[in-house]
Amino acid sequence: GEFLYLKNVRSNVSVCNGAFKFRSPPAFYNVANPDLVSANQEMEAYLQSVINHDSAPPFTCKSLIKLFGSSNPSPAHVLRCSQAFKSGTFLFSDPEEPGATLSFGSGKRSSMQAILAAIVLPSESYSPSVVMDPASGGVQDPFEKVLHVMRSMKLTRSLHHRRSDGLLRGVVSKIGSGSHGPKDQFSFYSPDFVPVGTFLEAGLTSPPGELATLNGIHGLSNALYSLLRFGLSDCTGGIGIRWSRNLYDTCGNYGDGRYTNTAAYLSYSPSEASNVVDDLALLLTSNRLSPENRHIIETQVTSSYDASGSISEAVQVATILIMSTPEFHTWNTASMTETARTVTPSVPKNLDEPYKVLVHVNLFGGMDSMNMLVPHPDGCPSLYDEYKLYRGSGNYVTSMDKIDATTSEQPCTHFGVNDELNRLADMYTEGDAAFFANIGHLQKAVNRYNFQAETSAQLFAHHSMKEEMFKVDAFRSRSGTGVLGRMADVFSFSMAVGQTALDKSPTILKGDPSLANPVKVVKTSGLDPFYHGRDILACGAEPNSACPGGSEHSKRPVLLEKMQDLNAKTQATSSLQAEFWSQSFIDAIAETDSFRFLLDGACKTPDGNDIACSGSDSASVCPNGCQCSSSKCTGGGATIPDSELGKKLDMVFRLIALNEARNVNRDFFAVEYGGFDAHFEMVSGLNTKLRVINDAIYGFRQELKAKALSDGSTLWDKVTLVMSSEFGRTVSPNSSAGTDHGWGGNAVVMGGKVNGGKIFGLHPSTYNPSDDYNTGRGVWIPRTPWESLWHAVVQWVGITNESAINYVLPNAVNFGCNLYAEVDLFTVELPASLSGCGGSVVTLQQSFFVSEARILIPDEQKAFCEQVVATVAPVEIRCFIQDQTLSEVPAGGSYEIVVNYEINFGPTVTNGEEVVTENIDTDSFRAEAASVLQMDGDVVIQQAEVVTVTSSPSDLPSLEPSESPTVLDICTIVTSAIFETLFPNPSALYTYSGFCLAVATWNLDYPDNQIFAAGDEFGLRNQLAAFFGNMLSDLFTTNSANGWAGTIDFWTNFRGSTGTGKTCGEFVSDGSFGGTLQRINGEDQCPSSSSYETGYFDAV
């Protein structure tokens, strides 16, 4: 057995007012008196709690199996591994010797030996039938491929190499992964990456496939070819160190067979040429080469050897070709055909369509945007004081640029922009930039009382919230696609569309897999030639140069052609992973040539020479938008800084400037700038990041503004840039001077046509954690959904058809008229507006009778409103559900869900109530509406009741829920803990539930004299504190037989003891007295003065 050391402390965490509890690990470490022993003990206790968690075995096993050849582990494989994890033992039955078994593992939970044995020894890990399954296997990690080659082909360190020099350099930047060094804690690729096409349709993942991009394939291929030809160096894309010992040839004398100037080299050498392909096929593909590919390689190797007589050349030709096969790059077999694979086609440019660009910059890690945009002390002194109070000393912004928000319908007339973003503040003032306050992922408008029931997303987690921000599809109506990808889908039928990501392919650019619109991933630093030589005269650029040997059969053009043959089309039953790799490989070769011409050749003469110029004649001399730098035409922006983000935006600028040469009508770019997960030292880390952002976006704008167009505009007028982060952070700091994961945050939109100088959305009017839109610790609940911002951008980019908008933003219908339109966010001629809005608004209440205690889940609410819209068609309307309450039907065995929803009409509809009555208040509608709900058993929908009708809508947008909290909200505010304090020995009449029932009954019986039914949370707390404070003794002295009912009657009707003709409730409502708690005022009645006001507020 194991020794278990316990601390005599139990730490329980309670959430949702005690509805859920879990035990947290004990805390050994004392931050006030730190010591190493306690730190080690706490870390050990924490790790032990993680290992013992119920989810640890399947999570660990699934993650590890993905590293051993199966991107989509079978449930049986995960189960077998999980059992070994828990027992610490795995028994292996030798299929060759029945009855013979071997035991692996220490017998202790999480034994790594047992886990690994359960992963690699079961037959499904190596069975030929599994390897041939089209859905099995996976793409190999790039760094694993490099290690595979090094080990298989005997990497040998050169005798002259000094260990202090190291071996590898620039691995991650060139091939995408490495032994360590990811930019954040989330590894080099997403564990749930799904390529476009068949993978999406089949629900399969390919995690390392995220790196199978133009940049990744190009970088990996060149690194492998360099390793083979020059040994471990940095020549021609290699990942080795660069020798600089005053040697003439720093790429290594590979011709001397000793790699004199190389740190290490591949020393594998076969005994004779006839064994080359067999040996290498076994070493590099485990003999998975298809017959077709083996024949191509053997033919080429034989021809090369016969022509040169060199075994070394035969080895290099064979290795280069095998390293280009799908069998090498995946864990699968591939069933090939003889049909050549073609490059993924693109749609030709539409000459009648203008050019527009949409750039999304993802600030990954959860940017603390509460320190980007803050209330200014001149325009909002009280809110700024609150901000400082809850941010804590040293964490709030003191140096800021003041911006005007008087036209923005915000709680402050002026806000401050962090001084590190002074150029962004200038862009705001000049009208080129706008802020979106407290924006984020929403399925519908929620507050602190209902967000848990009304939100099904995994809140506060980086990757899940990043995916929500990228997809803008709360209910996965367009599974696996992103908001920019769906925009590209709409345009792809009628014009040329560019979908380009920098360095990695994010979900935001993915469209419908059946359309197969390619996402091109471009390296920030540009591209070297694909499979090139060590210099211009040797093996790279010269068309007839030999690579690597001297025979005609090893020349670069010949081998490139054979590489393409090795990635021909596969059969329908072939591996999906191999098919994905081969198509990506062929596209990468073609795209490399195309992008290299655009980025390098576009600024040169047709024969590749530089074009001389002077600073004043860029426009007249330099072609394709190039500019004059150092007396020659070059690409890139002179004012864009050489920072991480600057380099990425510079590449975007260069591609935008080349839009004519690229023949595109619409460009969608995705850029990521990470490092914002500020759990430690938030202020200093954030300010450093903000300075980078400030300079990069300013240089980007300046370069685009300098590009004048023939119509008098500039390229900046064609661009809209959206900059956002997956979530905001807690207003309150943690103990490490950092902030933790939040929800709502602030975003930025900028561009030449942006209606800037405004703050859209709604900034909180208080930082108090008890606010209705604060979950605690200053976690903002978004008041504006991502859909609201994107709705305006979608219209600006050219999508105005309502069905097309609904395709791009499938959940926009859940927000009614609470969306922005092009007319709000942009200054353009004939801007698009919001359909189905601007006329009357009808609010309805409808009851659903169901057999189980539940409410409508978010996608049911959406389905219900979609049914409302379909029923009223062709009249254009918008519908969304405001709120709902649940109650048990007395003696009925069923439950009633009361749903309040709003219908908005366009400005031409003047008879909204009549339209509702004719269409919604019908038996057929109720039957159809009941059928779309995902409920077991019968659903009875009662006739709708019109609550209010207004002639004009509220200001756009407003995400206010119903003004009056429900009885459930009141009980949530009060909580049972208060009753445990007030009534240590409660009788049935005075319990928590008794109070809730009494309030509900009173408000139903006296609708014109309701209590606790209006106001924000703070005001309701005031009323409740006054009620309990003054009525405490009356519970026992006044009409005690009726308990709460009698006390409520006294509170609302009795006027005798006040001496002023007012009831206690009226005193509180009027605000004319302090409403002190009984133990403060010492009386059994409402006082007639405000002498106890200070004490009252202290008590509250």
Side-chain angles (χ1 to χ4, degrees):
E2 296 182 49
F3 286 101
L4 184 61
Y5 297 96
L6 302 175
K7 184 176 182 180
N8 193 25
V9 172
R10 172 174 289 183
S11 175
N12 286 328
V13 178
S14 176
V15 297
C16 301
N17 301 316
F20 302 98
K21 295 181 180 179
F22 60 90
R23 186 173 178 180
S24 64
F28 295 82
Y29 189 70
N30 187 343
V31 293
N33 185 25
D35 66 277
L36 184 60
V37 172
S38 296
N40 288 333
Q41 290 174 338
E42 181 157 336
M43 183 58 68
E44 183 67 25
Y46 170 73
L47 292 175
Q48 197 63 39
S49 70
V50 172
I51 290 172
N52 289 325
H53 194 281
D54 290 342
S55 297
F59 176 83
T60 303
C61 286
K62 190 173 182 180
S63 300
L64 288 177
I65 292 172
K66 288 185 176 185
L67 299 178
F68 283 85
S70 180
S71 292
N72 300 277
S74 70
H77 202 172
V78 175
L79 174 62
R80 188 179 296 111
C81 174
S82 299
Q83 292 170 337
F85 184 108
K86 290 186 282 188
S87 66
T89 304
F90 178 75
L91 291 177
F92 172 66
S93 299
D94 191 341
E96 308 257 339
E97 296 183 35
T101 60
L102 286 175
S103 178
F104 296 87
S106 63
K108 294 183 179 180
R109 184 181 176 92
S110 75
S111 167
M112 187 57 72
Q113 187 184 69
I115 293 170
L116 293 179
I119 291 174
V120 301
L121 293 180
S123 60
E124 63 190 287
S125 297
Y126 52 82
S127 168
S129 61
V130 173
V131 173
M132 295 178 68
D133 182 352
S136 70
V139 175
Q140 294 192 53
D141 179 283
F143 189 61
E144 290 179 4
K145 297 176 200 177
V146 173
L147 293 180
H148 184 181
V149 171
M150 289 178 174
R151 289 171 175 167
S152 300
M153 301 187 70
K154 299 181 182 179
L155 183 75
T156 303
R157 191 170 64 88
S158 302
L159 294 178
H160 52 266
H161 169 252
R162 297 195 311 199
R163 294 183 184 274
S164 59
D165 288 335
L167 285 172
L168 303 178
R169 192 176 85 167
V171 177
V172 176
S173 64
K174 291 180 179 178
I175 70 174
S177 69
S179 58
H180 58 277
K183 291 186 178 180
D184 50 46
Q185 67 268 43
F186 306 112
S187 190
F188 300 99
Y189 42 79
S190 169
D192 301 313
F193 174 75
V194 181
V196 298
T198 309
F199 282 83
L200 268 175
E201 298 169 354
L204 299 176
T205 67
S206 181
E210 187 172 17
L211 302 181
T213 61
L214 169 61
N215 174 35
I217 292 174
H218 174 275
L220 173 64
S221 299
N222 279 350
L224 290 172
Y225 303 150
S226 174
L227 174 63
L228 177 67
R229 299 205 314 270
F230 307 121
L232 199 57
S233 74
D234 75 338
C235 295
T236 64
I239 56 175
I241 60 171
R242 171 171 284 278
W243 282 64
S244 55
R245 312 259 175 139
N246 298 317
L247 299 173
Y248 176 73
D249 189 349
T250 60
C251 283
N253 293 326
Y254 67 90
D256 64 8
R258 293 178 296 150
Y259 297 87
T260 306
N261 301 327
T262 301
Y265 59 94
L266 302 176
S267 62
Y268 163 79
S269 178
S271 57
E272 53 187 72
S274 61
N275 296 333
V276 169
V277 177
D278 287 342
D279 283 0
L280 291 176
L282 176 62
L283 290 172
L284 299 180
T285 72
S286 301
N287 262 340
R288 286 181 286 105
L289 269 184
S290 68
E292 297 84 359
N293 282 352
R294 182 183 288 268
H295 175 70
I296 292 171
I297 296 170
E298 286 177 341
T299 301
Q300 194 62 31
V301 169
T302 300
S303 300
S304 178
Y305 179 71
D306 290 344
S308 66
S310 169
I311 292 182
S312 174
E313 179 176 323
V315 169
Q316 294 202 23
V317 169
T319 308
I320 287 173
L321 294 179
I322 290 177
M323 289 192 304
S324 303
T325 65
E327 294 95 331
F328 170 75
H329 290 281
T330 68
W331 299 104
N332 305 82
T333 59
S335 302
M336 310 302 296
T337 69
E338 295 182 357
T339 305
R341 186 181 296 275
T342 57
V343 177
T344 303
S346 58
V347 177
K349 183 176 181 179
N350 185 337
L351 299 179
D352 296 325
E353 279 289 337
Y355 178 64
K356 288 188 177 181
V357 187
L358 189 50
V359 182
H360 180 258
V361 177
N362 171 34
L363 306 177
F364 182 57
M367 177 192 182
D368 197 324
S369 53
M370 287 71 171
N371 268 23
M372 174 178 73
L373 180 70
V374 302
H376 196 279
D378 291 347
C380 219
S382 60
L383 191 57
Y384 180 70
D385 289 341
E386 271 194 26
Y387 159 75
K388 291 198 301 181
L389 173 67
Y390 289 107
R391 275 262 102 160
S393 178
N395 295 309
Y396 54 82
V397 176
T398 57
S399 179
M400 64 187 83
D401 286 27
K402 185 177 178 180
I403 60 172
D404 191 337
T406 54
T407 62
S408 300
E409 299 183 8
Q410 297 294 335
C412 303
T413 60
H414 292 81
F415 280 80
V417 177
N418 192 308
D419 192 48
E420 302 293 353
L421 293 171
N422 62 312
R423 294 189 183 277
L424 175 59
D426 291 342
M427 291 169 64
Y428 175 94
T429 302
E430 294 165 12
D432 276 2
F435 289 99
F436 274 78
N438 195 11
I439 190 171
H441 168 68
L442 287 171
Q443 293 180 330
K444 59 166 290 185
V446 294
N447 54 34
R448 68 181 301 169
Y449 310 112
N450 64 2
F451 80 90
Q452 289 169 320
E454 300 278 19
T455 306
S456 58
Q458 185 183 350
L459 301 174
F460 318 122
H462 286 287
H463 279 289
S464 61
M465 293 300 279
K466 181 176 77 170
E467 289 301 291
E468 297 293 357
M469 177 180 70
F470 281 171
K471 292 175 179 176
V472 196
D473 181 14
F475 302 112
R476 303 300 183 260
S477 302
R478 316 279 184 257
S479 181
T481 63
V483 63
L484 299 190
R486 295 193 295 273
M487 291 186 215
D489 286 347
V490 174
F491 290 120
S492 64
F493 295 99
S494 60
M495 64 185 75
V497 179
Q499 294 167 259
T500 310
L502 273 294
D503 296 328
K504 59 191 299 186
S505 178
T507 303
I508 194 171
L509 281 172
K510 294 178 184 176
D512 186 334
S514 66
L515 300 178
N517 295 322
V519 176
K520 297 179 180 179
V521 182
V522 179
K523 191 176 179 181
T524 298
S525 58
L527 295 173
D528 294 326
F530 185 90
Y531 179 40
H532 61 149
R534 60 175 179 163
D535 56 51
I536 193 82
L537 298 177
C539 176
E542 284 295 317
N544 295 317
S545 61
C547 211
S551 76
E552 290 293 322
H553 302 278
S554 63
K555 289 183 177 180
R556 179 175 183 269
V558 174
L559 293 188
L560 276 174
E561 180 182 341
K562 298 306 175 184
M563 291 179 190
Q564 294 171 328
D565 293 341
L566 292 168
N567 288 275
K569 287 187 177 181
T570 56
Q571 297 178 18
T573 56
S574 183
S575 162
L576 295 176
Q577 305 280 355
E579 167 69 19
F580 165 65
W581 172 266
S582 289
Q583 188 62 57
S584 300
F585 183 81
I586 294 299
D587 288 344
I589 293 176
E591 289 167 4
T592 297
D593 293 339
S594 173
F595 273 100
R596 277 184 55 76
F597 168 76
L598 287 171
L599 298 175
D600 298 332
C603 299
K604 298 178 182 292
T605 63
D607 55 359
N609 295 320
D610 290 335
I611 299 175
C613 63
S614 62
S616 60
D617 59 9
S618 294
S620 59
V621 174
C622 296
N624 298 317
C626 299
Q627 63 181 17
C628 194
S629 177
S630 302
S631 300
K632 66 179 181 180
C633 297
T634 63
T639 59
I640 302 178
D642 193 32
S643 61
E644 179 183 348
L645 180 59
K647 290 176 181 177
K648 294 182 177 184
L649 289 181
D650 185 54
M651 178 57 71
V652 173
F653 161 71
R654 293 173 68 185
L655 292 173
I656 292 174
L658 291 168
N659 72 87
E660 290 288 346
R662 292 170 51 233
N663 291 310
V664 289
N665 298 107
R666 295 290 186 276
D667 255 334
F668 299 95
F669 293 96
V671 174
E672 182 169 294
Y673 179 48
F676 289 91
D677 197 12
H679 291 288
F680 305 91
E681 302 296 335
M682 178 272 294
V683 172
S684 59
L686 178 65
N687 286 349
T688 300
K689 292 285 184 182
L690 293 183
R691 283 193 290 273
V692 172
I693 293 173
N694 191 56
D695 294 338
I697 59 175
Y698 172 76
F700 182 65
R701 181 185 74 149
Q702 293 305 103
E703 292 298 329
L704 290 169
K705 290 187 75 171
K707 297 295 182 184
L709 302 177
S710 58
D711 61 1
S713 65
T714 68
L715 270 181
W716 179 239
D717 295 317
K718 309 297 182 182
V719 174
T720 292
L721 184 148
V722 178
M723 186 167 62
S724 61
S725 192
E726 67 266 31
F727 49 60
R729 304 190 76 84
T730 57
V731 173
S732 301
N734 58 32
S735 59
S736 301
T739 52
D740 299 319
H741 299 183
W743 189 355
N746 301 315
V748 182
V749 178
M750 62 189 75
K753 293 298 182 180
V754 168
N755 182 19
K758 293 183 178 181
I759 302 175
F760 296 92
L762 183 60
H763 189 282
S765 58
T766 177
Y767 284 84
N768 193 310
S770 65
D771 180 57
D772 283 353
Y773 300 95
N774 193 317
T775 70
R777 279 199 63 201
V779 175
W780 292 353
I781 297 175
R783 302 298 301 279
T784 302
W786 293 121
E787 284 84 352
S788 190
L789 180 158
W790 286 116
H791 189 275
V793 174
V794 165
Q795 290 182 327
W796 172 82
V797 83
I799 302 173
T800 55
N801 177 273
E802 197 63 30
S803 62
I805 292 175
N806 289 335
Y807 171 80
V808 177
L809 301 172
N811 196 41
V813 297
N814 243 11
F815 301 100
C817 291
N818 303 317
L819 302 166
Y820 289 106
E822 183 184 27
V823 68
D824 304 298
L825 190 55
F826 295 92
T827 55
V828 295
E829 294 182 8
L830 302 175
S833 57
L834 199 58
S835 65
C837 298
S840 61
V841 180
V842 180
T843 305
L844 300 101
Q845 187 175 90
Q846 199 145 21
S847 292
F848 295 65
F849 291 92
V850 295
S851 58
E852 56 180 326
R854 54 161 295 175
I855 57 176
L856 300 188
I857 59 177
D859 46 350
E860 288 175 333
Q861 297 176 42
K862 179 185 174 186
F864 174 77
C865 264
E866 286 175 342
Q867 187 62 48
V868 171
V869 173
T871 302
V872 176
V875 177
E876 286 190 342
I877 66 167
R878 290 183 179 270
C879 164
F880 71 97
I881 290 181
Q882 297 173 322
D883 59 18
Q884 53 184 326
T885 57
L886 175 69
S887 61
E888 186 173 4
V889 178
S894 63
Y895 298 85
E896 180 184 12
I897 309 171
V898 178
V899 175
N900 293 300
Y901 61 101
E902 180 178 295
I903 297 178
N904 296 266
F905 292 87
T908 60
V909 179
T910 58
N911 59 337
E913 185 174 3
E914 181 181 332
V915 172
V916 168
T917 303
E918 290 179 356
N919 293 276
I920 305 300
D921 284 342
T922 64
D923 292 338
S924 61
F925 165 76
R926 289 190 285 273
E928 291 169 351
S931 68
V932 303
L933 303 180
Q934 304 168 16
M935 296 184 177
D936 296 328
D938 294 333
V939 181
V940 178
I941 303 181
Q942 206 173 51
Q943 181 174 333
E945 176 186 347
V946 176
V947 179
T948 60
V949 178
T950 57
S951 58
S952 60
S954 56
D955 291 339
L956 182 147
S958 170
L959 286 180
E960 296 284 349
S962 58
E963 293 184 358
S964 302
T966 64
V967 174
L968 178 62
D969 292 338
I970 296 298
C971 288
T972 302
I973 292 172
V974 176
T975 78
S976 58
I978 291 179
F979 282 77
E980 293 172 5
T981 304
L982 292 175
F983 312 108
N985 300 299
S987 68
L989 293 173
Y990 312 133
T991 59
Y992 169 55
S993 58
F995 169 75
C996 294
L997 180 60
V999 172
T1001 303
W1002 180 274
N1003 287 340
L1004 286 172
D1005 292 342
Y1006 304 101
D1008 295 331
N1009 195 20
Q1010 294 187 1
I1011 62 170
F1012 312 134
D1016 58 18
E1017 184 186 351
F1018 187 71
L1020 288 169
R1021 286 183 182 276
N1022 285 346
Q1023 297 177 39
L1024 290 163
F1027 175 81
F1028 291 131
N1030 287 285
M1031 296 295 104
L1032 196 57
S1033 63
D1034 292 297
L1035 288 171
F1036 303 97
T1037 60
T1038 305
N1039 201 6
S1040 59
N1042 293 318
W1044 286 115
T1047 305
I1048 291 172
D1049 180 72
F1050 181 90
W1051 176 260
T1052 55
N1053 293 327
F1054 189 68
R1055 304 176 187 276
S1057 64
T1058 64
T1060 61
K1062 289 185 177 182
T1063 66
C1064 295
E1066 288 170 342
F1067 266 114
V1068 173
S1069 178
D1070 294 344
S1072 57
F1073 80 113
T1076 56
L1077 293 170
Q1078 187 220 1
R1079 59 177 174 270
I1080 295 176
N1081 66 27
E1083 298 181 40
D1084 294 340
Q1085 60 185 24
C1086 295
S1088 57
S1089 72
S1090 59
S1091 58
Y1092 302 103
E1093 185 171 354
T1094 301
Y1096 158 68
F1097 280 108
D1098 289 343
V1100 172

